[in-house]
Amino acid sequence: MSRRALTLALSLLAGLTTATPAFAGHAPADARVGPRAALAGPRVVATAQGPVTTLKLANGLTVILKENHAAPVVTWVVAYKVGSREEPRGATGSAHLLEHMLFKGTKTFGKGQIAQLLTRNGAGFNASTWYDMTNYYETYAADRLELGLAIEASRMRDALILDGERRAEMSVVRNELEQGETNPDELLWEELGAAAYKAHPYHHPVIGFRWDVETVPTSQLKAFYDRFYRPNNAIAVLVGDFKTPEAIRLITRHFGGLAPGTDLAQRITPEPPQLAERRFTVRRRGETRAAQLGFHVPAAGHPDLPALLVLDSILSAGVTSRLHQALVETSLATDVWSFVGLNRDPSLLRVGLTLGDTAEPAKAEQVVLDELARLAREDVSPSELQRAKHRAEAEIVYENEGTEGMAQRLAYFGVVDRWERAFWLPDQVKRVGAADLRRVAGRYLGADNRTLGWYLATPEGPVPQAPANLGAGTATAAKAKVQPAPWQPYEQASKPLALATRPIRRVLPNGLTVLVLENPGSRTVAVDGFVRAGGFLDAPTQRGLAEATAAMLDQGSAGHDKLALASALADLAAELDVTADAESTRVTGKLLARDLDALLPLLAEVLTQPTFPPSELAKLKARWVARIKQAEDEAATHATRAFTQAIFPVGHPYRELPAQAAIAQVESLTSDDLRAFHRRHYGPNATALVFAGNLRAATLMPKLERLFAGWAQASRTPLAIPLVAPNPARRQVVSLPDKTNVAIRIGHAQPITRKHPDFFAASLALDVLGGDTWTSRLGAKLRDEMGLTYGTYAWIEAAQGAGPFTVSIDVNPANVDTALTAYRAELARFLRAGVTAQELAFAKSSFVGSQARHLATNEGAARSLARIEQFDLGLDYWQRYRGLVEGVSLAQVNAVARRLIDPVRAHTVIAGPYVEKP
């Protein structure tokens, strides 16, 4: 599957040693089944990734345990075999709304306490709902293992699901739904499912139909919960740094007494065979033109699955894929993707494309159909087949590098088929032959099995009618009924990070800086780094020059043309990306450790010897222009652009250009411009590269010294992002009548950079104000209590320059004024009364507790080291981090917050279908 397809699919988803928290040992009293449940198992299964322990509790809960001691973190997933598939007519969206409700409190954890506990312990957490599954997951430091177990045990049978909370959360979910309605890809996804399925419940969107979301009775949600949230309808997965016997003891302690369900059978109408092609067209006002095709394919456990996954890779994985070559390289499309649904019941293989600016829909459609027909008619080449297999193997290794990828994968396959398939698939993929691909293409990609939908937007297209709005509920009545239990932090949260190895830094004779973090137990290597060549170096009439230069580095080099370079990377199943922002150009990549020696010459060639072929630049500019136009369909694009224009003066690198001006400057760029920029600003003395994973610094350094020896020095231009003083505030409305959601941006210029002495004090203050949409002041008020928004945040962009203080709020058009009034009141209270001692303690605990999680993968460690080098923080920064955070005083936090935030100078931009009141 392509990265875009994965992103789209994910966007649609929605033992203690030194301290004992208040919840330790608790099992819901009204859900016990008598004496402590006995175990069925455990059973140890040998896999290609090491032993996996499975067991089944007497109440039916399936438990999967995989030790991974590479980092001191664990991921805990509880996945229920219930999703939109199980929803009755008239109650679509119930599974997703219920997922939201399970953050609203249980008999053990009061309103808001689940998110508070996880956030204050530095956990990464969330939940998601899909067609077949609802899952809840947490990644956190291993020394507080019992935290996640206790939370999920309480959620399984003790959720409160109060009517007042349901009313408030309904409008939060509706706001999430409205954001999807303005996204062409998401809208097409849902329309394609509705057209492809007539009988099966995969027909309706996972998030539900608006009327159902707004009106489902709380009693029906409770009945849905009571039926399906049972241990014998769930799979629990633990991956990470733990000892299996202790984990089994704790899981049994928390879950063994929960009563199983007796009414889990669900009557699902099978989808009848499709007899003819189905088509539809969505016409809207805007700029985007896109298509999606769907073909019915078998369920996840079918023997044809491995061949379909290889077929998916051949279709759209990377520059060498067939659809990319046939559509993107010919400027018929700006991007293409494909996606094989892995579901309990027969699903869809989807293909998607976004048209190029001048492409004809009929021609692009025919090219797609021709490529699909060719797969059924001709064998793929041995090299193409081998590349797809190697990529499939590498993707499994990449996912299993950290704890979260493996835990999620095991849980998902455990729901839709068998958890073992997560480990079987690589070997099954290796056995796929060319004849298998031709057979499945002929069987599933025919015209009679096809559903095809177009999204055709034009500037004069129809404007969708805004549906009736029931307003936003409040949860004030429910809030009074639940009092959170005392919160007790873990003593381990303040311990400094213990590293198995320490970073090694060396400046090569030509000035190239190299950092290495050796991780001998890993199977991968992550690459990160930067060149000090960002948009701040663009001439006023050539905005985008740095970005274009970075994007063209892999479009052709002295030793490889674009296709040859892409083929070499694809043969290694390696990823290598170069992108630029206002301050620098960033280099990122990952690969299997065994292939590092093959990647290094390609990396050196891309950075030092790009050729900037004019033909490839023309294609890049066409795709770039098309993306600028397509972004105009998003309210957030208009809000952010108007916000930066209100704050920063003309010519400032943080100020966004109007769409037409940006297009004109992109179109004016030439290959000579890019060559001159690269020759002047790219060089070893302006570059740092970071490598983290299974490698040896002593072996790597001489290779890099040889490969980069001839790279000429750069003309180092000091990075100078001018500070901007806050200017007089103004309120601006950008009218977008064709949208269903409003994007609000509020804020002003501010002086804090990454090296500023107030950086940590400001970061902690803004974490309390709007660091997340669950536990922050703004989140608790606007989302949790008032139900006005799916997400609200406050932050500063503090890098080498000082970006703005920004607050973002996304709301229904009818709730704009209510949200702004509530925001202003909450901000005034924040500045008047200040951060409390407890809030600061929570924020510090969160910052410190999350450090191990952020460094748990090679990619995370490499990213952190690159930032350390870029901002000159010192190689001992990881060890000093705890002291830097905990050394901030309450007085400092409140003083910095009051200096930083000036409501009188704050600009307000409202973009969407909102009409300013007289």
Side-chain angles (χ1 to χ4, degrees):
M1 139 194 2
S2 72
R3 184 178 298 176
R4 180 180 173 87
L6 178 61
T7 301
L8 175 60
L10 292 176
S11 73
L12 293 163
L13 290 181
L16 302 176
T17 55
T18 63
T20 303
F23 54 74
H26 174 79
D30 61 350
R32 289 188 177 277
V33 293
R36 180 60 62 198
L39 296 176
R43 179 172 67 102
V44 179
V45 180
T47 75
Q49 301 294 322
V52 175
T53 300
T54 69
L55 58 121
K56 182 168 285 192
L57 302 189
N59 58 13
L61 178 67
T62 298
V63 181
I64 303 169
L65 305 166
K66 174 73 175 71
E67 293 187 26
N68 178 350
H69 302 288
V73 298
V74 293
T75 294
W76 171 241
V77 179
V78 175
Y80 295 90
K81 298 178 182 179
V82 58
S84 61
R85 175 182 180 271
E86 280 69 34
E87 293 164 351
R89 289 182 180 272
T92 64
S94 293
H96 178 251
L97 180 54
L98 186 59
E99 171 220 307
H100 279 239
M101 292 296 296
L102 264 65
F103 283 91
K104 308 292 281 187
T106 71
K107 294 176 182 177
T108 305
F109 300 100
K111 177 180 169 65
Q113 195 180 16
I114 288 176
Q116 287 174 4
L117 277 165
L118 292 169
T119 300
R120 306 319 174 195
N121 280 278
F125 66 95
N126 212 324
S128 66
T129 306
W130 199 230
Y131 298 105
D132 305 305
M133 178 183 81
T134 307
N135 78 334
Y136 302 83
Y137 53 95
E138 300 91 22
T139 300
Y140 51 97
D143 58 15
R144 59 214 76 178
L145 172 62
E146 199 169 4
L147 172 66
L149 308 186
I151 286 173
E152 297 309 334
S154 186
R155 276 208 274 219
M156 182 174 282
R157 295 301 314 134
D158 267 359
L160 294 173
I161 314 179
L162 302 172
D163 187 60
E165 299 291 355
R166 194 272 309 166
R167 291 196 304 271
E169 201 63 23
M170 171 277 294
S171 55
V172 170
V173 172
R174 185 185 57 206
N175 183 242
E176 183 182 1
L177 183 153
E178 288 161 350
Q179 292 180 40
E181 288 176 339
T182 64
N183 184 298
D185 283 334
E186 292 187 26
L187 193 151
L188 264 181
W189 180 288
E190 293 183 355
E191 292 295 326
L192 186 72
Y197 290 100
K198 290 186 173 181
H200 193 280
Y202 290 162
H203 164 87
H204 67 258
V206 173
I207 201 168
F209 295 119
R210 175 183 287 264
W211 189 87
D212 292 352
V213 170
E214 291 180 330
T215 63
V216 62
T218 304
S219 59
Q220 192 162 354
L221 281 184
K222 287 182 176 180
F224 193 84
Y225 167 79
D226 196 54
R227 180 179 180 187
F228 291 112
Y229 276 66
R230 295 285 182 171
N232 52 329
N233 198 43
I235 294 175
V237 181
L238 182 65
V239 177
D241 188 21
F242 61 88
K243 297 296 184 183
T244 296
E246 176 66 2
I248 291 175
R249 183 185 69 80
L250 290 172
I251 291 169
T252 306
R253 176 184 185 182
H254 284 283
F255 288 87
L258 303 182
T262 58
D263 183 25
L264 297 175
Q266 183 78 353
R267 183 177 174 84
I268 302 293
T269 304
E271 183 66 21
Q274 186 170 326
L275 303 177
E277 183 190 56
R278 301 169 188 168
R279 282 180 171 264
F280 64 90
T281 301
V282 178
R283 301 187 187 277
R284 298 285 286 271
R285 178 177 296 182
E287 299 286 347
T288 301
R289 298 179 302 155
Q292 288 186 24
L293 298 82
F295 301 87
H296 292 278
V297 294
H302 195 278
D304 284 344
L305 174 63
L308 287 167
L309 292 175
V310 176
L311 189 73
D312 169 47
S313 179
I314 288 170
L315 281 173
S316 70
V319 172
T320 61
S321 67
R322 293 195 172 191
L323 291 180
H324 185 99
Q325 287 294 310
L327 291 162
V328 178
E329 294 303 317
T330 61
S331 298
L332 287 172
T334 59
D335 57 29
V336 293
W337 54 268
S338 58
F339 178 88
V340 176
L342 305 175
N343 293 94
R344 287 180 68 179
D345 298 330
S347 183
L348 295 177
L349 184 156
R350 297 174 184 250
V351 176
L353 64 99
T354 304
L355 276 185
D357 198 29
T358 61
E360 290 295 327
K363 183 175 181 181
E365 178 184 315
Q366 191 58 52
V367 169
V368 174
L369 297 181
D370 289 346
E371 287 297 327
L372 298 178
R374 187 159 70 96
L375 281 167
R377 187 176 64 247
E378 303 170 3
D379 283 346
V380 302
S381 68
S383 61
E384 192 176 19
L385 180 61
Q386 184 56 38
R387 182 179 298 152
K389 293 179 178 182
H390 189 41
R391 184 183 295 110
E393 177 193 6
E395 287 299 329
I396 299 298
V397 175
Y398 294 153
E399 287 185 3
N400 292 346
E401 187 66 34
T403 60
E404 191 164 311
M406 178 178 283
Q408 294 279 21
R409 190 176 180 86
L410 288 171
Y412 188 80
F413 276 106
V415 168
V416 301
D417 181 34
R418 298 179 58 178
W419 68 263
E420 293 94 336
R421 193 168 297 280
F423 297 110
W424 293 343
L425 269 177
D427 288 335
Q428 292 174 331
V429 162
K430 289 178 183 178
R431 293 196 291 270
V432 172
D436 298 314
L437 296 179
R438 194 174 68 251
R439 176 181 57 80
V440 296
R443 181 173 183 180
Y444 301 114
L445 301 184
D448 291 344
N449 192 38
R450 180 169 66 225
T451 303
L452 192 153
W454 277 100
Y455 181 101
L456 298 177
T458 62
E460 298 78 27
V463 177
Q465 295 297 311
N469 176 33
L470 297 187
T474 64
T476 52
K479 185 170 68 171
K481 297 179 182 177
V482 184
Q483 295 300 321
W487 178 77
Q488 290 181 280
Y490 284 82
E491 293 177 10
Q492 296 97 323
S494 63
K495 285 187 176 181
L497 179 71
L499 294 173
T501 61
R502 292 184 177 272
I504 298 166
R505 181 181 184 272
R506 181 181 169 191
V507 179
L508 302 186
N510 66 353
L512 177 67
T513 301
V514 180
L515 295 95
V516 176
L517 184 69
E518 298 176 352
N519 183 7
S522 172
R523 296 178 62 189
T524 69
V525 171
V527 182
D528 211 310
F530 60 90
V531 183
R532 299 186 190 276
F536 76 97
L537 295 168
D538 291 348
T541 58
Q542 290 186 312
R543 290 287 298 274
L545 179 56
E547 189 175 350
T549 302
M552 282 292 292
L553 292 186
D554 63 356
Q555 303 297 293
S557 58
H560 298 78
D561 64 17
K562 174 184 176 178
L563 183 58
L565 182 59
S567 298
L569 290 170
D571 288 341
L572 299 175
E575 296 182 9
L576 183 62
D577 295 303
V578 187
T579 57
D581 60 23
E583 297 187 354
S584 65
T585 292
R586 186 178 175 207
V587 182
T588 60
K590 61 182 177 182
L591 68 154
L592 298 179
R594 69 189 186 204
D595 296 327
L596 179 60
D597 285 347
L599 178 75
L600 292 177
L602 298 175
L603 173 63
E605 194 174 304
V606 162
L607 287 176
T608 66
Q609 301 180 67
T611 54
F612 305 106
S615 59
E616 297 301 338
L617 178 59
K619 295 176 187 177
L620 173 71
K621 291 196 292 187
R623 295 193 296 271
W624 196 346
V625 168
R627 283 195 291 269
I628 291 173
K629 292 181 177 180
Q630 291 155 12
E632 293 297 286
D633 287 343
E634 297 291 332
T637 299
H638 295 266
T640 301
R641 180 172 58 224
F643 181 66
T644 65
Q645 291 173 353
I647 291 172
F648 298 109
V650 173
H652 195 286
Y654 293 164
R655 179 188 173 102
E656 295 189 13
L657 294 176
Q660 288 306 312
I663 289 171
Q665 295 207 12
V666 166
E667 290 179 333
S668 72
L669 298 175
T670 69
S671 291
D672 287 340
D673 296 330
L674 274 60
R675 288 192 192 97
F677 186 91
H678 179 269
R679 185 169 52 250
R680 180 171 183 177
H681 299 297
Y682 280 65
N685 56 323
T687 303
L689 295 175
V690 179
F691 298 84
N694 190 355
L695 75 165
R696 294 289 304 276
T699 304
L700 176 68
M701 297 294 187
K703 296 175 182 176
L704 293 176
E705 186 172 337
R706 183 176 66 254
L707 287 168
F708 286 92
W711 198 8
Q713 298 284 296
S715 300
R716 284 284 299 274
T717 301
L719 176 61
I721 306 290
L723 285 177
V724 175
N727 48 16
R730 66 190 180 101
R731 175 178 167 120
Q732 180 180 357
V733 175
V734 182
S735 180
L736 303 170
D738 56 319
K739 309 306 174 194
T740 57
N741 186 64
V742 172
I744 302 173
R745 300 293 181 267
I746 309 167
H748 53 70
Q750 59 85 34
I752 294 176
T753 65
R754 182 59 185 81
K755 293 296 292 288
H756 195 285
D758 288 336
F759 171 78
F760 279 104
S763 299
L764 289 163
L766 289 175
D767 185 70
V768 173
L769 176 63
D772 68 73
T773 197
W774 280 298
T775 63
S776 68
R777 292 270 192 96
L778 293 178
K781 185 67 176 181
L782 272 69
R783 173 178 170 148
D784 199 36
E785 180 181 329
M786 301 183 70
L788 291 168
T789 178
Y790 178 62
T792 179
Y793 303 91
W795 71 94
I796 56 170
E797 297 173 33
Q800 288 171 290
F805 159 68
T806 308
V807 173
S808 72
I809 310 171
D810 292 310
V811 294
N812 181 280
N815 294 330
V816 168
D817 295 314
T818 303
L820 288 173
T821 299
Y823 159 72
R824 286 190 290 265
E826 195 62 30
L827 181 64
R829 186 173 73 86
F830 176 79
L831 295 175
R832 181 179 64 254
V835 175
T836 68
Q838 186 183 54
E839 285 176 325
L840 180 58
F842 285 177
K844 288 180 177 181
S845 179
S846 175
F847 276 40
V848 173
S850 65
Q851 188 182 26
R853 175 171 57 85
H854 291 152
L855 301 178
T857 64
N858 291 330
E859 285 183 271
R863 184 184 310 115
S864 178
L865 276 176
R867 300 281 286 180
I868 286 171
E869 178 66 26
Q870 186 172 5
F871 300 129
D872 191 27
L873 301 176
L875 284 187
D876 62 345
Y877 176 75
W878 288 343
Q879 285 69 42
R880 291 188 295 110
Y881 177 78
R882 176 182 64 91
L884 292 170
V885 173
E886 294 186 342
V888 178
S889 71
L890 183 63
Q892 284 177 291
V893 167
N894 284 318
V896 169
R898 292 177 181 122
R899 288 199 307 269
L900 173 69
I901 303 171
D902 184 357
V904 176
R905 298 277 186 169
H907 299 273
T908 301
V909 177
I910 303 166
Y914 173 79
V915 178
E916 188 77 275
K917 294 178 175 57

